[in-house]
Amino acid sequence: MMKHKITALFLGLALLLGFNSCEDYFGDINVNPNVPTDVPPSVLLPSIEVGVADLTGGDMSRFTAVLVSHVRGVARQWSSIDNYSFIVPSNFDNAWRYNIYAGILQDARILKQKASEEGAAYYVGIADVLMAYTWMMATDVWDDMPFTEAFQGTDNLQPAFDSQEFIYGKIDDMLAEAISSLSGDGGDLLPGSDDIIYGGDAASWLKAAHAVAARAALHRALMDPNKYYGDVLTHVADGFTSGADDMRLQYTSGPTSAAPWYRFNRDRTGDIQMFTDDKPSKLGEIMMALNDPRLPAYSYDFEDFDNHPYFRADRAYPLITYYEQKFMEAEALMMTGGDAAAIHDAFVAGIQASFDAMGMDATDYITAVDPGEGNVTMDDIMTQKYIAMYAEPEVYNDWRRTNIPQLTPNSGSTIPYRFPYPSSELTLNLNTPPVDGLSAITDPANKVWWDIN
Amino acid sequence: MKKLSLVLMLVLFGVGSMLAQRTVQGTVTDTEGDPLIGANVLVKGTTVGTITDYDGKYSLTVPEGSNTLVFSYTGYTTQEVELGASNVVDVVMEEGITLETAVVTALGVEKEEKAVGYAVQEVNSDAITRSGASKTLDALQGKAAGVQLTRASGAAGGGTRIVIRGQTSLTGDNQALIVIDGVRVNNSTFQSEGNHAGVANTNRLADLNPNDIESISILKGAAATALYGVDGARGVVVITTKRGKGTDGKKFKVDIGSSVAFSEVTQITPTQTTYAQGWAGVYYPPETGVSTSWGPPVSELAWDGATDYAFDPNGHIVSKDDPSAVKPVTPYDNIGTFFQTGVAFNNNVAVSGGSDVANFRFSYGNYSEEGVIPKNTFERNTFKLASDLKLTDRLSMSASANFSKANGRRIQQGSNTSGLMLGMLRTPITFDNSGGFDDPANTEAAYRFPDGSQRNYRGGGGYDNPYWIINLAPRFDEVNRLFGNVNVEYKLHPWATLSATLGTDWFSDRREQQFEINSRTAPSGRVFEDNFFFRNTDIYLNARGSGNLTDDISLGYLLGTNLYDSHLENLYTEGNGLSFPNFVHISNASDVQSSRYINNKRTVGFYGSLDFGWRSMLYLTVTGRQDYVSTLIVPDEPFSLSDIGFFYPSASLSFVFSELLPNDDILSFGKLRLSYAAVGGGPPSAYSTTTPFVSASAGDGWADPVSFPFNGVTGFTQSDNLGNPNLEPELTVNKEVGVDLRFFKGRLGLDFSYYTMLSDNQILPVDLAGSTGYTSAVLNAGSLSSKGIELVLTATPIRKRDFGWDLQVNYTRNRTIVEKLAEGLEALQIGGFTGTGMFHITGQPFGVLYGGAYLRDNAGTDADDGLTIPDGNILINDDPTSGEYGFQQPDPTLRVIGDPNPDFIVGITNTFTYKRLALSFLIDWKQGGDMWNGTMWALTFFGRAQITAEDRDKIVVFDGVLSDGSPNNIPVRVGQNYWTSSVGGFGSVDEGFVQSTTWVRLREVTLSWDFNPKWFSGTFVEGGSLVLNGRNLYFWTPYLGVDPETSLWGTGNAQGFEYFNMPSTRSVSVGLNLNF
C-alpha cells in the first residue's frame, strides 16, 4: 500500500508542477511590477517641463555662456572648454540623447498623442509649445537633425537628417497648432498643479506660444528681414504683457530639486566663474564699464554657491521672458523702420523688466544708459539684451545673428559657430554629418542654416 | 518551515535507537608492512566508518546485519572484506588506482570517475579548512584548473569573483552557479552605489561556513553542467556539506576548532616624500584648498611653532629662512600610520552522531574580523543542522538547514570623494591627517573642527580625511539568511529510484550608509537605507535507475523535472539635507526619496540522461533538457509554451583505452574524453520584452540630477531602453576533448582538457543613436567564443612510512574573444570612466582596456587599423608656442590599450608530510593581464606619485619623432608642466599607465601537526591538531600600485581597472582543533 501511495504522490507532484497548465503557472511573472506600462498626461507633463528647464539651464546655458563670454571656464574640464579644445562630441551625448530625443521630445510626442485621444486640448497645446521650444533650441546649435525618420526605435536605427529649414517649418506648424489649441476649449482633462510652469493657465501658455513664435521668427530674420521681423511684431503683440507672464520653472532649495546652475556650482565647485583676473569675461567688462548695479549679483563667487544671489537653488529659471520679448520688439521695430518712440519704449521696458525680475531699482541705471528717444541703436539694444539675459542660451543666437557685442575668442581666431554632433550619434547613426571637432565647428561652411552673417 | 522542523525532530529522536552490533578491529598496512595512517574503513552500504590511527589500527562497531567492510586509501586499491567469525580483520593494501572512485556530477549524481566523459575536479574538506581562508571561494584559489578567482579587495568582508573557463555572456552574469547539497544558492554581490565607488560588498556564498564543507566538485564544461539548464552554462560549483556519520558506538562526536589570524596591508601605490603641498614650487597651506603637491621640497620649509593654528599643532609652514621659522618641517606619513594589524577570530564547534538509521550533524561557527582599516569589521555567525533518516529499507529522507547572520561595518572606497585611498594618497606630506593625535581614529579633533567642518588638507573641500571617512561615513549592513533543503528518496525497484528535493534560500540584506554633514560626497549630509530581500525555491523530481543488461553492457537513466523560482526585492530610501549634525538618520533629512524594485523569474525544465557502459571501457552519456523561461514572456499577449521554451542536448564519451593495453607498471590508466553540449538561455533579465514608463529625472553628467517627485509633483518618462517582444533564446555550444593518464600505479597523473565554446545570439542591451527616440534596445546580437587548455598534474614523488611528498599543478589558459556585437555596433562599454574603460570590441578579447594613446606618426595611414595602437613612432609636439612643447601628444582616436585577461594561471601545491606533521604551500602564478593604473594616473597630476619626485627636476628628451620625421631632440623638464598636461595625470593618454599584473605569489603556507592520540588516553579527548597558516605572504609583481589582485569593479564583468582600490592583505593564523 505504502509503495503505491508514494508512487501516486510522485506522479501527482510531477503532474501538478510539470505537465498541467504550464502557461497558468507562469502567469504574470514577467509583468514588471516596478513600473507602469501606461501613465496619464498629468505625470508626463512635469517631467517634460523640468526636462526643458534643466536642458536650457544646464548644458545649453553653460556651453553658450562660455562661447559668448558671459562666464569663463577656470578649472578642470571647463578650462579646456574655455579654450574650445574640449567642446568635443562626448560632451553632448547627455543633452542630445538623454534629454532631447529620448527624453523631452519622446515624452512630449506621447503626451500629445494621449492628450489628443482624450480631447485634452490644453495638454496638446502645451506639448506643442514645449516641443517647438526644444526643437528650436536644439537646431540652433546643431543645424540639421533627424526629424521625419526619428523616434522609430529599432525599425530605423539610422534616421536620416532633415535640414534646419525643414525643422523650422515644423516649429512654425507646432506653434500655430499650439496657438489654436490654447485659444479654444480645453476639454474635460485640464492641466493643474502638474503644470509646474503656469499651473494650468491656458492664457499664459497662449502668450508663451506667441513669445516662442516671435523668437522663432527672429532667428530667421537674416533670411528675409521684412517677413520675419514682421512676424516678430505680430507675435509680440499677443505675447507677454509683464514680467509676471514670464515662462519660468520654479526650482526649490531641496537637494534634488535645485536649479541647474546651483547644482553645477555645488557639484563642480570652482570650474566656472563669471570673471577672474586671469580670465575676464566680456560681460563683466561691459558691465564694469557701465557700472551696472546687477554686476555684484552676477559675478558673486560661484564657489560660495549657497549664497549666490543670482544662481540660487530656488531660482525660477527663465525659459522665455518679458524682457527678452521687449528687446525682440525693439530690434524688430528698429530693423523695420519703426517709430522712434516705440523703439525707445521697448528698449527701456526691456531694461526695466530685467531689473524688475531681480527686484532691483532701474531708475539710475536707465538714466545713465538711455541715449534718449531717436538715438537708440542696434548696439544699445543688443548690448542691453546681452546683459539682461545672463547665461541664457538665446544670447548665443543673438550674437551669431548680430555680432553684438564684438567678442574676442578665448583662444584661436574663431569662436565656434555651433556645437559638434554628439559622439553617440556620430558612431551609431552613420547618416550624421561629420561635424565632430574644433576645426569643424569653427569652419564657416558648417554654420547653421539661418546664420548667414 | 514547519515541514523542515518536523523532519529534524524525527531525526533527533531516531538517533538514540541503536541496533544489535559487534566490534571489529585490526591493522591496515601496505605491502612493506608499514602501517597506513588515516585509511578509511567503512561498513558497506552504511555511513558507519572510521579511519586508522598512527599505528594503522582501527576499531569499528558494525551494526547487525552488515557483514562487509570497505578499506580505502588514496593511491591504493580499494578492498572489500567479508566479515567472518573473527572480530579481528587485518588488511594489506596495494598501491594502485582506485577506478571505482566516485565523483559528484550534475544534480549530485555520483559516477565512477572512469565513466565520466568530461572534466570534473574535486577539492576536499581538508584543502578548504587548512587553507586558512574564511570564505569558501578564497579557499579554492589555485586548487583547480580552469577556475579564475579574483578577490575584490583586502577590506574586511570584500567579495570574490569566480569564473570557470572564461566568460560566456557579454553583459550578463559570468560567475559560476553555486549548488549546495543539490539546490542552488544565491552568490550575488549586490551593489548599492555605482560599481566604481561605494564599499567592498560581500559575495553571498560567504554565508556558508567553509568548515561545513565536505567536498567541492567543479563542473567545468557544458557537458558536465547541461542538466542544470540555463545557469549551468557558466560552470557549476557543486558543494557537498558534512553530514553526521555512524559514530562507532559513541552517541556523539564533537569537533571544536579555534583560530586567530593577524593581517596587514600589502603594497600601496608608491608616493613621494619630498615635496610639499603647493603649485609651481610655491607652498600653499591647507586653507587655500590647493589640491596638489607641486610645492617646494620640505627641506626648504620650517614650522613657525604657532600653537593656535588649527591645521597643524606644529604651526604654520614658512620658508626655513623666514625669521619666524623655529623647526624644520619633517614629512608626515599619512599612509603607513593609518593601517593597523587586522585580527580575525574563527571559532567552530560541530556535534554529530547517529546510527545507520539516523544521524545528524549540528555546527556553529563564529567568524569575527577587524580589518587592517580601523573600524572596518565583518562578523559571521553560522548555524547548520543536517540529518539523514532511513525510514525503511526503501524510503529515506535527509534535510539540512543553514542559518547565518553576517554583519559588516564598511568603508567607502574607489572613485569617490569619500573614498578612503583617494583622500589618503592625495594628502600632501606637509599635512598630518591625524592632527598630531596618538589615536586619531578615535579622536574627533583629528578630523573635525569644533564648528563641525572638516579638518582635511583642502580646508574642508576636496576629499574626505581618512579618519573622517572611517568615523563619519560608515556603512552598516546585516544579512540574515536561511538556506537548506529536504530530500525524500524511495527505491521503488532496482531500476527505479524516485527522489524529490526541495531547496530554498531566503535572506534579507539591510544596509545603512551615513554621510555626516560636511562629508565631501554629500556636503549637506546624506543617509540611505538599502534593503534587499531574496527568496528562491528550487525543486527537483527525479527518477533514476541503473544496472547491467549483460555482463558487458550497463545502462543508467535519469528523468526529471526542475522548477526554479526566484524573487528579489529592493527597497531604497535616501534622505538628503540633514537639518543638524550628529544625528545621521532618515528622520533628520529634509528631502527623502524612496524607490522599490522587484525582480521575479521562473524556469521550468524537463530533462533526461542516458548512460551506456561497455566492458569498463566505453561509456556514453547523452542528455537533453527542455526549458521554459519566464523572461521570454511578453505580458499582455497570449503565449503558448513553445514561445518560451527551448531544447538543448549533450553527449559525452569516455574511452578507457588502457583496458586495451597490456598491464604494465608504467601506464596504469588511460582515458580519453570527448563531449559536445549545447545550452540554451533566455533573456538574463526579467522584463526585457516591454518598454515601461519610469520615474523621471533630469540633468546632465556634470551635477547630480533633479529627480521626481519634484517639489511634491510626480513625473514619469518613457523608459529610454526599448524592450523587445521578439527575443529568441541564446545558445552556447561547447566541445571538449580530454585525456586522463595515470602512471606508476597512480604516482603520477596527468589530466589534459581542450575546449571550445561559442555562445551565439546573445541577448544584450545595445546602444542606439538618440534620434531613434531611445538610448538602448534589448536585441539578440553578439557572440562570444572561448577556447582553452587545462592541465592538472599530480605526483607523489615520495611515499614512505614517515615521509611523503605530494605535488599538484593546475594550469589554466583561456582565450575569450568577442566575435560579434550588434549590427553596426563595434564597441560596448562595460565599465570604467567616460572615455576610458573596459569595452567589448569586435574581434578583441573580453572587456579590453580602451582609452587614450600617444599619437603615432603613422596614425590615420593605411598601417593604422583605427583600433589598436599603430606601431609607428610617437610624435612629439614641436610647436614652440605650445605649452606642451617637447611632450608627446594625445591621439584623438581612442585605442585598445590593454587586455585584462591573463595569458595563463598556474597553481602549484606541494605537500610534505613527516610523521604527524604536514607542510604544504601553494604558489600562484598569473602571467599577463593588464590593468589601468588610475591611481598613479591621478597621483601624477597631484604631484604625489613617486615618479613625480624622481623626475621633477630631470631634463629628458622623450623617445619619438618630430613632425618632419627626424628624431626628437627637444629637452624638456618632467615636472609639474608635464604631469598636469594632456599626456599627464587626468590627461587624455592612458596608454602610459597600463601595466602588467603578472604575479607570482605565495598564496598559502600551511603547517599542521596532528596530536598523538596516546597523549589523551584516559581523557574524553580523542585527538586534535594544531595548524599554522599563512595567506598571501609574499608576491612579486611589476605592477606599481596596490596588489593587482584587487578589482574596483568587484565581482562584476569589468576587470582591469584600478582607481584608488583598497589594498590587499597578507595574514598569518594559528588554529587549534580538538575532537571528542
Side-chain angles (χ1 to χ4, degrees):
Chain A
M1 265 323 282
M2 178 85 174
K3 189 198 312 188
H4 292 294
K5 274 186 189 161
I6 288 163
T7 315
L9 177 72
F10 268 98
L11 284 173
L13 271 173
L15 282 173
L16 187 71
L17 294 171
F19 304 105
N20 186 31
S21 65
C22 221
E23 284 93 343
D24 290 347
Y25 176 68
F26 281 105
D28 288 340
I29 196 128
N30 208 34
V31 173
N32 192 334
N34 309 299
V35 284
T37 49
D38 198 14
V39 292
S42 62
V43 301
L44 284 170
L45 182 59
S47 61
I48 298 164
E49 289 185 352
V50 173
V52 169
D54 243 67
L55 173 70
T56 313
D59 276 334
M60 291 293 173
S61 170
R62 285 189 301 269
F63 281 102
T64 58
V66 168
L67 293 175
V68 300
S69 197
H70 269 196
V71 299
R72 299 298 299 267
V74 294
R76 294 189 282 262
Q77 287 96 329
W78 283 88
S79 51
S80 314
I81 290 168
D82 192 73
N83 67 26
Y84 315 137
S85 66
F86 197 55
I87 302 185
V88 292
S90 62
N91 276 328
F92 298 95
D93 284 323
N94 260 306
W96 171 287
R97 200 159 169 240
Y98 292 93
N99 298 340
I100 296 174
Y101 273 107
I104 298 162
L105 293 176
Q106 177 73 286
D107 290 336
R109 287 173 69 247
I110 297 168
L111 171 63
K112 185 177 174 184
Q113 192 196 333
K114 283 183 190 298
S116 304
E117 285 163 8
E118 302 196 35
Y122 291 166
Y123 276 112
V124 173
I126 295 169
D128 273 322
V129 174
L130 291 169
M131 277 197 283
Y133 184 96
T134 306
W135 275 114
M136 179 157 58
M137 186 159 54
T139 188
D140 285 341
V141 290
W142 280 303
D143 200 21
D144 299 355
M145 293 173 75
F147 190 102
T148 39
E149 293 186 6
F151 305 107
Q152 294 175 14
T154 45
D155 293 338
N156 188 347
L157 290 172
Q158 317 227 328
F161 278 63
D162 293 293
S163 71
Q164 186 181 65
E165 184 176 13
F166 175 86
I167 294 168
Y168 260 97
K170 292 292 180 185
I171 291 169
D172 288 344
D173 294 349
M174 286 176 225
L175 290 169
E177 207 182 320
I179 287 165
S180 141
S181 304
L182 291 162
S183 303
D185 177 50
D188 294 333
L189 186 68
L190 294 168
S193 61
D194 54 320
D195 172 13
I196 303 171
I197 294 176
Y198 284 127
D201 181 24
S204 296
W205 276 107
L206 184 59
K207 291 177 186 173
H210 283 292
V212 175
R215 189 193 268 185
L218 186 73
H219 289 179
R220 287 170 286 177
L222 293 171
M223 317 296 294
D224 183 347
N226 277 336
K227 170 179 166 28
Y228 287 113
Y229 279 125
D231 287 350
V232 171
L233 292 172
T234 309
H235 282 297
V236 297
D238 293 324
F240 300 139
T241 49
S242 79
D245 289 340
D246 285 359
M247 181 175 170
R248 290 173 181 267
L249 187 127
Q250 181 68 53
Y251 285 91
T252 76
S253 55
T256 57
S257 51
W261 268 99
Y262 170 84
R263 299 198 327 268
F264 180 86
N265 289 336
R266 178 193 68 195
D267 297 344
R268 302 286 304 187
T269 309
D271 280 12
I272 295 180
Q273 288 286 6
M274 183 202 179
F275 200 94
T276 70
D277 290 345
D278 290 347
K279 292 183 171 178
S281 65
K282 183 71 179 178
L283 178 61
E285 287 173 352
I286 291 174
M287 292 177 83
M288 273 195 281
L290 295 174
N291 202 15
D292 194 313
R294 289 168 293 187
L295 182 59
Y298 282 12
S299 67
Y300 189 87
D301 183 4
F302 285 21
E303 292 195 29
D304 188 16
F305 48 86
D306 271 327
N307 297 313
H308 200 288
Y310 198 81
F311 292 134
R312 292 195 313 271
D314 60 350
R315 187 173 183 209
Y317 194 82
L319 295 168
I320 188 163
T321 56
Y322 179 62
Y323 56 77
E324 180 185 339
Q325 189 188 297
K326 279 290 155 193
F327 288 119
M328 286 199 276
E329 184 184 347
E331 179 190 341
L333 286 168
M334 167 85 76
M335 300 303 281
T336 52
D339 174 53
I343 295 171
H344 181 254
D345 285 353
F347 170 70
V348 171
I351 300 171
Q352 181 66 50
S354 163
F355 276 76
D356 289 349
M358 292 176 70
M360 294 173 68
D361 180 7
T363 320
D364 293 346
Y365 182 71
I366 289 174
T367 310
V369 300
D370 182 8
E373 192 177 312
N375 298 323
V376 178
T377 62
M378 260 300 270
D379 218 60
D380 292 327
I381 297 168
M382 296 316 296
T383 302
Q384 282 304 324
K385 191 179 182 189
Y386 177 82
I387 298 170
M389 297 187 59
Y390 182 32
E392 293 183 45
E394 179 63 8
V395 177
Y396 184 45
N397 299 327
D398 286 336
W399 173 77
R400 283 183 292 170
R401 287 189 304 109
T402 65
N403 273 339
I404 303 171
Q406 280 246 296
L407 300 178
T408 314
N410 293 342
S411 168
S413 55
T414 311
I415 297 172
Y417 297 115
R418 54 169 296 160
F419 291 179
Y421 287 110
S423 48
S424 55
E425 199 73 22
L426 284 162
T427 46
L428 298 168
N429 181 0
L430 301 180
N431 291 315
T432 311
V435 182
D436 56 0
L438 185 57
S439 56
I441 60 175
T442 50
D443 180 350
N446 289 329
K447 285 182 171 187
V448 304
W449 162 74
W450 55 247
D451 185 6
I452 52 172
N453 189 352
Chain B
M1 286 327 299
K2 261 187 183 166
K3 272 187 202 162
L4 194 62
S5 44
L6 190 66
V7 172
L8 297 174
M9 294 268 292
L10 273 172
V11 170
L12 287 169
F13 282 116
V15 170
S17 57
M18 302 284 184
L19 298 168
Q21 52 201 21
R22 64 194 275 198
T23 301
V24 177
Q25 54 191 14
T27 309
V28 181
T29 55
D30 64 15
T31 46
E32 290 169 19
D34 286 333
L36 290 177
I37 308 154
N40 195 300
V41 188
L42 197 69
V43 180
K44 190 175 182 183
T46 74
T47 57
V48 177
T50 186
I51 56 171
T52 56
D53 68 11
Y54 185 66
D55 298 317
K57 291 202 162 69
Y58 73 94
S59 168
L60 184 64
T61 306
V62 181
E64 174 83 28
S66 300
N67 54 5
T68 307
L69 295 185
V70 183
F71 295 84
S72 63
Y73 193 60
T74 310
Y76 289 76
T77 308
T78 299
Q79 284 190 32
E80 291 190 8
V81 178
E82 295 272 322
L83 291 178
S86 169
N87 280 339
V88 176
V89 178
D90 295 331
V91 172
V92 177
M93 296 188 71
E94 286 189 24
E95 273 193 280
I97 298 165
T98 314
L99 297 176
E100 281 70 37
T101 303
V103 292
V104 177
T105 65
L107 304 179
V109 175
E110 292 197 354
K111 284 189 176 176
E112 286 177 37
E113 207 177 348
K114 65 183 176 189
V116 175
Y118 41 78
V120 179
Q121 201 167 356
E122 297 217 324
V123 179
N124 66 22
S125 89
D126 268 3
I128 293 159
T129 50
R130 295 204 168 168
S131 70
S134 60
K135 303 195 195 74
T136 306
L137 290 183
D138 296 336
L140 286 179
Q141 281 280 15
K143 298 199 175 71
V147 178
Q148 193 187 350
L149 293 143
T150 311
R151 186 149 193 221
S153 92
T160 300
R161 170 178 168 87
I162 177 167
V163 173
I164 298 181
R165 284 195 176 169
Q167 301 88 347
T168 53
S169 172
L170 286 163
T171 56
D173 191 359
N174 277 304
Q175 293 201 72
L177 176 67
I178 308 290
V179 172
I180 300 180
D181 294 334
V183 294
R184 68 188 89 179
V185 296
N186 189 312
N187 182 33
S188 300
T189 306
F190 295 129
Q191 300 290 348
S192 292
E193 298 102 334
N195 259 318
H196 55 286
V199 303
N201 290 302
T202 307
N203 65 300
R204 292 266 61 97
L205 183 59
D207 296 326
L208 178 72
N209 183 351
N211 283 286
D212 287 332
I213 296 174
E214 177 68 32
S215 70
I216 295 179
S217 182
I218 293 169
L219 309 181
K220 298 169 185 172
T225 65
L227 289 180
Y228 282 108
V230 173
D231 298 328
R234 315 185 303 254
V236 184
V237 176
V238 180
I239 298 174
T240 307
T241 60
K242 288 176 182 163
R243 311 197 72 87
K245 282 182 182 154
T247 40
D248 191 21
K250 293 201 314 175
K251 290 207 166 162
F252 299 106
K253 184 169 176 287
V254 180
D255 296 285
I256 62 167
S258 208
S259 70
V260 58
F262 302 93
S263 55
E264 62 175 19
V265 283
T266 60
Q267 68 186 38
I268 291 174
T269 312
T271 48
Q272 58 93 357
T273 53
T274 314
Y275 295 95
Q277 180 169 9
W279 185 255
V282 176
Y283 172 73
Y284 282 78
E287 54 270 34
T288 61
V290 162
S291 62
T292 55
S293 289
W294 294 110
V298 284
S299 55
E300 295 172 12
L301 300 173
W303 284 303
D304 71 356
T307 52
D308 59 347
Y309 182 48
F311 285 98
D312 198 323
N314 286 311
H316 305 86
I317 289 180
V318 294
S319 163
K320 68 177 183 346
D321 303 325
D322 191 278
S324 64
V326 296
K327 141 168 117 164
V329 170
T330 49
Y332 292 114
D333 178 8
N334 287 302
I335 301 164
T337 54
F338 178 81
F339 294 99
Q340 62 182 20
T341 300
V343 182
F345 296 96
N346 198 349
N347 292 302
N348 289 283
V349 55
V351 183
S352 58
S355 66
D356 59 338
V357 172
N359 66 59
F360 78 99
R361 179 178 182 276
F362 172 78
S363 71
Y364 167 70
N366 173 275
Y367 175 77
S368 170
E369 176 180 1
E370 173 154 9
V372 292
I373 300 159
K375 308 206 167 185
N376 174 206
T377 61
F378 178 74
E379 179 170 13
R380 176 185 66 201
N381 285 284
T382 55
F383 302 84
K384 184 169 187 297
L385 180 58
S387 63
D388 303 280
L389 184 60
K390 202 167 161 186
L391 291 168
T392 72
D393 280 351
R394 295 187 162 193
L395 182 63
S396 58
M397 291 180 76
S398 65
S400 82
N402 192 108
F403 175 75
S404 64
K405 178 172 179 291
N407 294 76
R409 187 185 189 281
R410 298 171 206 253
I411 307 299
Q412 290 283 320
Q413 63 175 8
S415 173
N416 165 3
T417 47
S418 292
L420 182 79
M421 300 307 290
L422 193 139
M424 185 190 306
L425 296 180
R426 292 180 185 189
T427 307
I429 51 169
T430 43
F431 183 82
D432 184 2
N433 280 332
S434 74
F437 293 97
D438 291 338
D439 184 14
N442 293 302
T443 309
E444 189 175 89
Y447 50 86
R448 197 183 198 189
F449 288 126
D451 68 354
S453 66
Q454 187 171 167
R455 185 189 167 280
N456 68 5
Y457 89 89
R458 293 184 65 186
Y463 326 106
D464 282 338
N465 183 321
Y467 296 106
W468 174 286
I469 295 167
I470 61 174
N471 282 289
L472 299 179
R475 167 81 130 266
F476 299 95
D477 54 68
E478 176 171 320
V479 173
N480 284 284
R481 184 174 191 182
L482 179 69
F483 62 85
N485 63 82
V486 183
N487 176 279
V488 183
E489 189 167 287
Y490 184 69
K491 293 189 174 75
L492 179 66
H493 182 271
W495 280 98
T497 298
L498 306 179
S499 67
T501 304
L502 165 70
T504 189
D505 181 1
W506 295 57
F507 65 84
S508 67
D509 181 346
R510 296 186 296 136
R511 304 173 175 185
E512 184 191 37
Q513 173 69 47
Q514 304 182 349
F515 288 108
E516 178 59 276
I517 296 170
N518 291 323
S519 293
R520 294 303 305 149
T521 289
S524 59
R526 175 181 298 161
V527 58
F528 70 68
E529 292 177 7
D530 196 13
N531 297 323
F532 295 90
F533 174 72
F534 177 82
R535 171 184 81 220
N536 79 22
T537 310
D538 199 14
I539 298 172
Y540 296 86
L541 298 175
N542 289 335
R544 64 176 198 273
S546 62
N548 292 327
L549 292 181
T550 70
D551 281 352
D552 284 344
I553 299 175
S554 64
L555 183 68
Y557 78 92
L558 171 73
L559 276 176
T561 178
N562 167 227
L563 187 153
Y564 180 72
D565 179 272
S566 73
H567 171 84
L568 173 67
E569 199 171 325
N570 173 245
L571 181 63
Y572 179 88
T573 305
E574 180 174 305
N576 277 292
L578 301 178
S579 303
F580 59 92
N582 300 322
F583 184 57
V584 188
H585 189 273
I586 202 82
S587 64
N588 190 19
S590 61
D591 182 279
V592 176
Q593 295 193 338
S594 209
S595 66
R596 181 164 180 253
Y597 180 80
I598 292 173
N599 189 312
N600 290 317
K601 285 200 249 182
R602 191 169 283 180
T603 304
V604 175
F606 298 92
Y607 48 81
S609 141
L610 267 179
D611 302 318
F612 301 96
W614 185 70
R615 284 191 175 175
S616 298
M617 191 195 302
L618 264 182
Y619 297 89
L620 175 69
T621 300
V622 292
T623 73
R625 179 163 168 141
Q626 173 81 23
D627 268 334
Y628 300 99
V629 296
S630 67
T631 52
L632 276 173
I633 297 172
V634 184
D636 303 327
E637 281 181 25
F639 71 99
S640 69
L641 278 186
S642 58
D643 298 334
I644 61 165
F646 42 91
F647 177 81
Y648 43 92
S650 88
S652 59
L653 181 77
S654 164
F655 171 37
V656 185
F657 60 84
S658 53
E659 293 282 320
L660 293 175
L661 304 174
N663 259 336
D664 68 34
D665 283 348
I666 299 172
L667 182 68
S668 320
F669 177 75
K671 177 176 92 168
L672 183 70
R673 303 183 297 254
L674 279 174
S675 69
Y676 165 92
V679 179
S685 319
Y687 323 132
S688 304
T689 56
T690 46
T691 314
F693 289 84
V694 296
S695 186
S697 66
D700 46 55
W702 300 100
D704 283 350
V706 156
S707 54
F708 282 85
F710 177 88
N711 200 17
V713 178
T714 307
F716 275 77
T717 175
Q718 184 181 259
S719 170
D720 293 349
N721 308 309
L722 180 60
N724 185 345
N726 304 314
L727 291 174
E728 289 174 7
E730 307 178 339
L731 191 70
T732 301
V733 173
N734 201 302
K735 296 171 192 166
E736 179 179 336
V737 55
V739 58
D740 180 357
L741 302 172
R742 319 253 179 106
F743 303 93
F744 313 117
K745 294 187 173 170
R747 294 280 284 264
L748 180 66
L750 188 67
D751 190 309
F752 169 85
S753 306
Y754 172 78
Y755 60 86
T756 63
M757 186 280 297
L758 180 65
S759 182
D760 221 349
N761 220 18
Q762 292 217 345
I763 297 167
L764 65 153
V766 171
D767 280 358
L768 301 188
S771 56
T772 61
Y774 302 89
T775 60
S776 72
V778 183
L779 296 177
N780 275 109
S783 65
L784 265 182
S785 76
S786 291
K787 58 185 178 190
I789 293 170
E790 287 153 17
L791 208 56
V792 183
L793 174 79
T794 50
T796 306
I798 299 172
R799 184 190 287 154
K800 297 283 178 206
R801 173 180 171 165
D802 283 342
F803 185 66
W805 174 21
D806 290 299
L807 170 70
Q808 181 174 10
V809 181
N810 292 306
Y811 172 90
T812 303
R813 177 193 168 96
N814 179 75
R815 298 282 183 277
T816 301
I817 301 290
V818 176
E819 296 291 341
K820 198 178 90 184
L821 295 168
E823 213 61 53
L825 180 68
E826 290 301 311
L828 175 68
Q829 184 161 15
I830 58 169
F833 296 154
T834 305
T836 304
M838 283 66 68
F839 283 69
H840 289 325
I841 295 171
T842 310
Q844 293 286 318
F846 189 92
V848 289
L849 292 170
Y850 186 70
Y854 296 120
L855 184 63
R856 305 305 206 276
D857 58 356
N858 59 346
T861 68
D862 287 347
D864 176 12
D865 62 9
L867 179 64
T868 54
I869 296 173
D871 62 356
N873 300 302
I874 290 174
L875 208 53
I876 300 296
N877 181 338
D878 55 5
D879 170 8
T881 67
S882 163
E884 302 190 359
Y885 179 62
F887 299 169
Q888 305 94 339
Q889 326 171 52
D891 186 338
T893 306
L894 297 185
R895 308 276 180 179
V896 175
I897 52 174
D899 177 5
N901 302 291
D903 299 338
F904 61 81
I905 301 169
V906 180
I908 304 167
T909 307
N910 277 288
T911 305
F912 299 96
T913 50
Y914 176 69
K915 293 192 174 170
R916 296 179 191 277
L917 282 175
L919 171 70
S920 82
F921 56 94
L922 166 56
I923 293 167
D924 181 357
W925 170 20
K926 186 185 88 156
Q927 181 66 40
D930 296 324
M931 184 129 96
W932 178 67
N933 194 336
T935 308
M936 189 171 158
W937 174 73
L939 290 180
T940 56
F941 174 86
F942 288 103
R944 286 285 300 133
Q946 173 68 32
I947 188 172
T948 65
E950 289 163 3
D951 291 354
R952 201 167 286 200
D953 292 312
K954 212 157 99 184
I955 305 293
V956 303
V957 176
F958 287 115
D959 283 344
V961 296
L962 306 178
S963 49
D964 61 6
S966 65
N968 178 29
N969 56 3
I970 307 168
V972 292
R973 180 182 298 256
V974 194
Q976 177 180 339
N977 278 353
Y978 180 74
W979 291 115
T980 57
S981 75
S982 64
V983 294
F986 286 120
S988 38
V989 174
D990 306 295
E991 179 191 345
F993 297 96
V994 173
Q995 298 169 358
S996 167
T997 62
T998 292
W999 71 58
V1000 177
R1001 77 176 70 225
L1002 186 53
R1003 170 78 60 189
E1004 246 176 68
V1005 180
T1006 305
L1007 177 65
S1008 60
W1009 176 34
D1010 290 328
F1011 302 140
N1012 188 339
K1014 284 173 187 162
W1015 297 355
F1016 307 111
S1017 62
T1019 72
F1020 58 92
V1021 179
E1022 284 202 335
S1025 63
L1026 187 69
V1027 181
L1028 285 170
N1029 184 283
R1031 286 192 70 73
N1032 202 25
L1033 289 182
Y1034 176 79
F1035 61 88
W1036 174 89
T1037 178
Y1039 189 77
L1040 283 172
V1042 295
D1043 183 349
E1045 189 178 18
T1046 59
S1047 165
L1048 190 56
W1049 254 252
T1051 60
N1053 281 337
Q1055 300 286 326
F1057 200 80
E1058 199 248 295
Y1059 194 74
F1060 297 98
N1061 288 13
M1062 294 284 201
S1064 74
T1065 57
R1066 67 172 70 88
S1067 63
V1068 292
S1069 68
V1070 53
L1072 178 69
N1073 304 298
L1074 289 174
N1075 41 66
F1076 314 109

